[in-house]
Structure formats: C-alpha cells, structure tokens
Amino acid sequence: MPKNIPSYDLSTVLEGPDPAPLLALNFGFARARVLSAALELGVFTELARAPRTSAALAGALRCDGEAVRRLLDALTELGLVRGDDASGREVTELSRAHLVEGGPGFLGEHFAEVLAQWDSWGGLADLVRSGRRGGDLGDPGARGLHRGMFGGAFALAARVAT
C-alpha cells in the first residue's frame, strides 16, 4: 500500500456514524452561493415566465451558456429547478412560491439580507476567542423596517400560528 494513503478498517467506517450530515453542513456555503447567484441573475423570474433551455436562458440573462447550464444543474440538484436541456428547465413549486420576483411570498430580499452578513460570520471564531461583541448591524431604529429583514421568518411563523 502506498505510504500517503491511510488504511481503514472497513467495518469501523461502515458501522460508525454516517458523516454525510457533516459534509453537507460543511458545504452549505456553496448552496447559499448558488441560490444567491440565481437570485441576483433573475434565473427564477425568467424561468417562471416560460420554461427554456440553458442556452435560451443564457441569452435572456446575457450570460455564458455553459456557465448557465452548470448553474441550472446545481439548482436542479437542490430541487429548485426541474427538467433538462432537451425538454427545457422550469421552476419548481417551491421556487415559484418564494423565489420569483414580484410574487407575494418572494424571499429574495431576505436571502440578500442574510448573505450580506457573509463576511461578518467569517470572524466568528475570533469573536469567541476574544469575547468581543461583534458585528455592526447598523442603526437599531432602522432594523427590520424593510420587507426583506423578516420575510423568511413570516413564512415559518404563519404556518406555526395557524
């Protein structure tokens, strides 16, 4: 066996806890960035107008066709888009309800608000080490006064309340 490759007792690996939830958690940043890019580009809104291939969508968005295809593949894997380039891509029910601009349940502003905190969260370990209070959340009187701030919480709270 090569020196740099660790050896495993296969029974330990197969009988131990499944690391899949940890791997999914660790890669969560990529899912958030896929969603963010799709919202920024208007992918869901365009696909809600009419299903289309990645090439047609790329033309409408003025983006690179191959890059749009890869983004659509990722969105399909996340369950936010369905279809393929042969039949055309379309939004799922979940995406139509919450990711299409102008819809009553649109959460894009909420996601943008959360993603704006991206860099601040990168310093969490330093804050824990130092005990410093971190983050500039702006003027307390202005927090939560725009639609995006609590939009995500409403969709959850309304279900609980009813």
Side-chain angles (χ1 to χ4, degrees), residues 8 16 18 21-22 24 43 57 67 76 111 113 117 124 129 132 134 140:
Y8 291 102
D18 181 3
L22 296 175
V43 168
L57 181 62
T76 299
F111 295 132
E113 179 83 21
Q117 301 172 21
L124 181 59
R129 282 187 195 100
R132 251 183 22 251

Side-chain angles (χ1 to χ4, degrees), residues 14-88:
L14 295 176
E15 294 170 11
D18 181 3
L22 296 175
L23 297 172
L25 179 64
N26 189 54
F27 204 63
F29 73 91
R31 291 176 185 88
R33 287 298 192 194
V34 165
L35 176 61
S36 174
L39 285 165
E40 183 178 328
L41 294 169
V43 168
F44 303 107
T45 302
E46 281 299 317
L47 287 179
R49 290 184 178 127
R52 52 187 101 168
T53 65
S54 59
L57 181 62
L61 298 175
R62 297 183 177 173
C63 293
D64 178 78
E66 178 59 22
V68 168
R69 186 196 59 75
R70 290 191 307 264
L71 180 62
L72 290 172
D73 287 347
L75 293 168
T76 299
E77 187 174 324
L78 294 173
L80 301 175
V81 169
R82 65 176 161 247
D84 55 38
D85 269 350
S87 62

Side-chain angles (χ1 to χ4, degrees), residues 9 25 41 70 93 106 115 143:
D9 174 358
L25 179 64
L41 294 169
R70 290 191 307 264
E93 184 179 336
F106 181 62
L115 285 167
R143 287 186 211 146

Side-chain angles (χ1 to χ4, degrees), residues 96-145:
R96 186 174 298 282
H98 299 295
L99 301 176
V100 174
E101 292 178 54
F106 181 62
L107 296 177
E109 292 154 344
H110 170 73
F111 295 132
E113 179 83 21
V114 171
L115 285 167
Q117 301 172 21
W118 189 273
D119 291 335
S120 297
W121 281 93
L124 181 59
D126 289 337
L127 290 176
V128 172
R129 282 187 195 100
S130 70
R132 251 183 22 251
R133 299 294 184 254
D136 177 15
L137 299 177
D139 173 24
R143 287 186 211 146
L145 298 181

